[in-house]
Amino acid sequence: MSLPFAQTPSIANAEEAPTGGLVRTNKLALVCAKSGLDESYPVLIMANAARMTGIEVSIFFTFYGLDVITKNKVDKLWVNMVGNPSTPMPPFMMGLPGMEVMATSMMKKKMSELDLPPPREMVEMLAASGCKLYGCELAMRMFDREDEDLLPEVDSVITATDFFELAEGGQIIFV
Amino acid sequence: MATETTQILARLEEISAQVEAVDKRVRFTEELVEEMIPIARLVVSSATTRLGDWEERGVFDMIAVMQDAAGRILDNYTKDDAEHLADAIVGILSTVRNLTQPGVLQIANQATDVLRQADGVKPVGMFGAMRKASSDKEIQRGLGVMLEIMRAVGRTQGGSAEGVSVLPPALEATAAAPAVAKAVTPTPKAAAPAAPVAAAPEIIQWEGHDFDANGFLIDPNTWTPELAGKIANGLGITLTEEHMHVLEWVRDDYASSGASPNVRRVATGSGAGTQNMYKLFPPTPGKNCAMIAGVPKPVGCV
């Protein structure tokens, strides 16, 4: 028995889906290289949305992005003010003490108002949804981190070449 | 010899008759001219005075100008334009009639009065205009009218001239055909490309229930567990106790909150957990769960 209306194109019926001539992405590989709250949240949210649309997703955490999957760092992600071109604050105020704390607490408040879970819970949710989480082997050595320092949800620590092999056939997006 | 003489004589007689006729005609002409001269004098003198009179009054100048204008009209308008004008003439007349309604004329009169007395008006700056607009009822009403006019202009400019046509409804139908044929930019609606699936809010009947184009039940109150089973089958899912527990929770939450719960809310609220949600309603847990539960598509991305 088939339904009479157009289904959301998914992995299962990607071929016959009416996508208006577009080739639909069904595999996504995100690279998270920054640890700012305003820089890593989008990666997690986009990954979750992609999973909910039936897209296969994997995330590669490298350089400061590694903080997002590090146990004692994930709850202390900050909104980095200095050098951040997206903040509405005038540059001479950005470096003042307390500014980053204020901006961070404001963003966290807004996020919880919007019913968005904090980063740690987002990572748990992503792992539960089937999103693959990888740490960067080079960054691990750079920051002197061991496997135990990472969140239990992380699938494995791999190199960039491993990641590209895993991401083959998918869209790779550097955030 | 004698015969020749008689021939010559006869010829002479003939000639003399002709000469007589010519003489008579000349005399007639002379008489005619004599009679005509006074009349002609009268006419010519009258005409010259009249023409002089006209010239004094600038009639010739005007004719010259009019000829020039006519030439310019001919230069700038083609035969097609003239045909178009003929088509539009009903509309033009209707517009003129509307403009000459007493109410409209009164407004025009008052406006000219104001313009005549404009010397006594003080200049108003930006803030003065705002202050006046916020306190003066008449200015507010005028602004409202201006805005309506602007909206009408915008609507015609935007190509959808519905409701601002100057033609009386009965004539609309007859005028519509040439108007569409001659219009350059707006394409007739019938020629528009087929709309994509999500564009039209069409209703799809299936198994005795109304669905929107995306497959969501339009009236959540018509949901039954049997229908849920049928939708789930269509999505390739076989409902179990676990499914029913989640679906019941979603329906209760929808009834109490008035909004479809997102995946995270369902996963934590029903106790199913995120991982199970993907197992129970693959591959799109939020959408499929809401679809089977007969509630609208959830908003949000978590």
Side-chain angles (χ1 to χ4, degrees):
Chain A
M1 180 158 47
S2 65
L3 295 178
F5 17 75
Q7 289 296 295
T8 299
S10 62
I11 304 167
N13 56 1
E15 279 79 36
E16 64 264 34
T19 49
L22 292 170
V23 178
R24 200 167 185 289
T25 305
N26 52 22
K27 190 172 178 183
L28 190 64
L30 293 161
V31 181
C32 178
K34 300 175 197 103
S35 69
L37 198 60
D38 57 328
E39 293 150 332
S40 54
Y41 241 131
V43 183
L44 304 174
I45 295 169
M46 300 288 282
N48 187 59
R51 275 306 294 138
M52 282 184 15
T53 325
I55 299 171
E56 189 187 330
V57 187
S58 55
I59 312 176
F60 186 61
F61 294 93
T62 183
F63 279 75
Y64 285 110
L66 203 60
D67 287 357
V68 182
I69 50 167
T70 304
K71 273 178 194 167
N72 58 1
K73 298 265 185 189
V74 65
D75 295 324
K76 296 173 194 160
L77 300 179
W78 277 21
V79 179
N80 300 311
M81 299 297 285
V82 177
N84 189 338
S86 311
T87 60
M89 200 174 281
F92 67 91
M93 283 176 71
M94 286 180 182
L96 296 178
M99 276 303 155
E100 298 200 332
V101 178
M102 200 187 78
T104 304
S105 69
M106 266 175 72
M107 187 171 280
K108 280 184 173 169
K109 192 164 152 265
K110 276 279 168 207
M111 289 296 187
S112 64
E113 273 173 23
L114 291 168
D115 203 23
L116 278 170
R120 183 188 286 267
E121 207 180 312
M122 283 292 289
V123 172
E124 284 167 11
M125 212 166 81
L126 279 171
S129 76
C131 173
K132 300 285 178 213
L133 306 168
Y134 301 109
C136 172
E137 196 263 337
L138 181 71
M140 290 287 280
R141 281 196 278 144
M142 203 193 309
F143 298 124
D144 288 327
R145 280 184 204 161
E146 304 297 327
D147 284 2
E148 306 88 74
D149 297 333
L150 299 183
L151 292 173
E153 286 82 15
V154 176
D155 288 275
S156 57
V157 174
I158 58 173
T159 62
T161 39
D162 294 339
F163 178 70
F164 283 118
E165 277 167 18
L166 287 167
E168 197 184 321
Q171 300 268 334
I172 300 169
I173 299 174
F174 188 94
V175 185
Chain B
M1 191 68 188
T3 51
E4 280 179 5
T5 320
T6 46
Q7 268 181 356
I8 289 166
L9 278 174
R11 188 105 181 95
L12 273 173
E13 235 164 80
E14 239 173 71
I15 288 169
S16 77
Q18 279 179 3
V19 166
E20 225 168 281
V22 168
D23 182 51
K24 208 186 262 178
R25 207 179 295 158
V26 166
R27 246 185 296 130
F28 275 148
T29 314
E30 271 170 10
E31 273 168 30
L32 188 71
V33 168
E34 251 167 64
E35 275 172 26
M36 282 299 286
I37 278 172
I39 301 170
R41 262 189 206 137
L42 202 68
V43 167
V44 168
S45 77
S46 156
T48 33
T49 30
R50 188 65 55 79
L51 286 173
D53 196 24
W54 281 1
E55 187 158 29
E56 251 168 50
R57 279 156 56 187
V59 170
F60 291 117
D61 289 349
M62 201 176 91
I63 288 172
V65 170
M66 288 299 283
Q67 270 174 347
D68 193 27
R72 243 179 290 158
I73 289 172
L74 288 176
D75 284 347
N76 289 323
Y77 288 85
T78 61
K79 188 166 158 280
D80 283 353
D81 289 324
E83 276 173 19
H84 205 106
L85 191 69
D87 287 340
I89 211 141
V90 182
I92 291 169
L93 286 177
S94 169
T95 310
V96 170
R97 194 192 59 204
N98 285 343
L99 281 175
T100 51
Q101 293 294 310
V104 179
L105 280 182
Q106 205 184 339
I107 293 172
N109 253 342
Q110 278 171 2
T112 41
D113 278 354
V114 171
L115 285 178
R116 226 174 284 141
Q117 295 154 9
D119 290 345
V121 176
K122 283 180 200 152
V124 177
M126 179 79 166
F127 290 104
M130 276 160 74
R131 201 169 52 233
K132 280 209 167 175
S134 63
S135 62
D136 196 324
K137 276 262 155 58
E138 283 167 0
I139 286 183
Q140 284 169 5
R141 200 172 314 131
L143 278 175
V145 173
M146 292 301 276
L147 285 178
E148 281 302 314
I149 292 171
M150 280 181 187
R151 178 180 294 159
V153 170
R155 218 181 298 152
T156 14
Q157 292 297 308
S160 67
E162 303 152 50
V164 290
S165 172
V166 292
L167 290 186
L171 289 164
E172 201 119 287
T174 50
V180 168
K182 275 168 195 167
V184 186
T185 36
T187 44
K189 276 190 178 164
V197 180
E202 55 175 314
I203 294 172
I204 297 166
Q205 282 268 336
W206 187 69
E207 299 284 328
H209 292 272
D210 289 348
F211 293 87
D212 68 13
N214 293 320
F216 287 88
L217 196 63
I218 287 174
D219 184 3
N221 294 324
T222 61
W223 182 86
T224 57
E226 291 75 45
L227 181 69
K230 284 173 189 164
I231 300 173
N233 275 343
L235 295 169
I237 298 165
T238 313
L239 291 187
T240 61
E241 282 292 308
E242 218 178 341
H243 287 97
M244 288 316 286
H245 168 71
V246 175
L247 293 178
E248 288 296 335
W249 188 90
V250 169
R251 288 194 59 78
D252 286 350
D253 188 68
Y254 177 75
S256 60
S257 71
S260 280
N262 58 35
V263 180
R264 181 170 170 250
R265 197 174 155 86
V266 179
T268 50
S270 69
T274 307
Q275 205 168 351
N276 266 339
M277 283 299 288
Y278 281 85
K279 275 186 194 150
L280 294 173
F281 305 102
T284 56
K287 192 181 169 234
N288 283 359
C289 177
M291 204 186 254
I292 298 170
V295 297
K297 192 178 181 179
V299 186
C301 46
V302 286

